Amino acid sequence: MLIGSIETGGTKFVVAVGSGNGEVKQKLTIPTTTPEETMPLVHQFFRQFNLEAIGVGSFGPIDVNQQSPLYGYITSTPKLPWQNFNFVGALKEKHEVPIAWTTDVNAAGFAEYKLGNAKGTESCLYLTIGTGIGGSFIQNGEILNAYSHPEMGHLLVRRHLDDDFEGLCPNHNDCLEGMASGLAVEKRWGKKGFKLIDNEKVWEIEAFYIAQALINYTLTLRPERIVLGGGIMKQKQIFSLVRGQFKELLGNYIEVPNLEQYIQPVGLHNEAGIIGGLLLAERELMKSTVIY
Ligand code: ZN
């Protein structure tokens, strides 16, 4: 059985085919330009295979509400050519197979839950801290989407006493993404994160914001595991700082798992989004298969 998977990003699309258990067999990268240019290349790649389902993890915001007339659309994205683009509709026109449609962060979180560092748990909070910040929550095999998909990167955070950076979120200035994304680190310190490894203050401030976010997710969702990915979390020294700040800020208010177990790096690295697309497409296929 061959399944298709698409991970859309601001600069590139990754398209792949693989098996329903998440094994990637062939992969191609396509530049993200406009739907008119990018989508024909997606169709061309998929047409070589006899696919049974396709999974999409898309940049957002997207409409994931199956009752909505705009289900399957990319909605108010700042990537203007993709605004109000009917992504699922465009796929369905060319490929008559079940399509799983979710955000890039949901797809990656789902893969970590099934096959990565949250494998074997009942509930996982996945957070990616890169150029931007996004999160997903999966419990008992279901991704949390209520009125719409969560936007966990835009939590409001308490400011670090030594931090006078104004923040860079266009909507909230000093929300979590505005203060702790890779872009925020670069703008605050004048260098990219990986060039600031030896500057302890950078990571103390960064860990302070990330720990606050993890406390908020912990208090609202009580996950069994938290998995942290994205470019910023490649700085391995930050994990012990985040765990330390988390313990200090939470106090002894509630019981959480052992922090080494509870707060972990990703297990699947850059492939999580694509693997998640395969897994979600396979699940969509099973749902749509009627047994007589
Ligand atoms: Zn914001």
Side-chain angles (χ1 to χ4, degrees), residues 49-276:
F49 309 97
N50 188 15
L51 297 182
E52 293 199 49
I54 298 173
V56 188
S58 175
F59 59 76
I62 66 175
D63 195 329
V64 293
N65 178 353
Q66 301 212 6
Q67 313 309 321
S68 160
L70 297 181
Y71 173 79
Y73 279 64
I74 297 176
T75 57
S76 57
T77 174
K79 299 167 187 60
L80 294 179
W82 297 87
Q83 246 179 32
N84 306 314
F85 175 62
N86 183 358
F87 202 114
V88 170
L91 281 177
K92 278 199 182 287
E93 243 175 50
K94 304 284 181 186
H95 313 277
E96 285 177 32
V97 295
I99 292 169
W101 168 247
T102 194
T103 63
D104 45 1
V105 185
N106 277 346
F110 193 74
E112 285 293 333
Y113 173 79
K114 286 283 186 187
L115 301 174
N117 271 353
K119 188 178 172 184
T121 66
E122 298 293 323
S123 60
C124 163
L125 186 291
Y126 168 78
L127 192 71
T128 176
I129 306 162
T131 313
I133 300 183
S136 60
F137 178 66
I138 298 103
Q139 184 170 29
N140 301 327
E142 291 297 325
I143 296 172
L144 174 71
N145 286 311
Y147 178 67
S148 187
H149 56 84
E151 286 285 354
M152 299 193 189
H154 294 265
L155 290 190
L156 302 182
V157 287
R158 189 187 292 169
R159 179 175 285 272
H160 191 287
L161 289 177
D162 298 335
D163 189 12
D164 59 4
F165 179 58
E166 68 273 21
L168 50 64
C169 173
N171 293 299
H172 318 111
N173 292 326
D174 58 359
C175 68
L176 177 68
E177 182 171 289
M179 298 305 269
S181 66
L183 277 183
V185 170
E186 188 179 345
K187 197 163 177 211
R188 182 190 288 108
W189 301 97
K191 283 184 200 166
K192 286 189 185 292
F194 70 88
K195 291 189 173 162
L196 294 160
I197 291 174
D198 298 329
N199 186 335
E200 283 177 21
K201 200 73 193 174
V202 172
W203 305 108
E204 181 203 314
I205 290 179
E206 184 69 8
F208 177 73
Y209 293 124
I210 295 170
Q212 287 185 61
L214 302 192
I215 285 173
N216 285 321
Y217 307 138
T218 297
L219 293 172
T220 46
L221 300 166
R222 297 304 298 269
E224 194 177 334
R225 172 125 338 137
I226 292 175
V227 173
L228 301 176
I232 286 287
M233 300 315 294
K234 286 184 179 151
Q235 319 301 321
K236 291 293 173 215
Q237 77 275 18
I238 202 175
F239 278 89
S240 59
L241 296 174
V242 169
R243 292 185 190 111
Q245 294 267 11
F246 180 92
K247 191 170 171 14
E248 196 177 317
L249 292 168
L250 184 64
N252 291 320
Y253 183 53
I254 49 168
E255 191 202 335
V256 290
N258 170 297
L259 293 187
E260 296 279 328
Q261 294 287 320
Y262 187 49
I263 300 172
Q264 291 208 27
V266 288
L268 302 172
H269 304 285
N270 298 332
E271 294 248 279
I274 273 293
I275 293 171

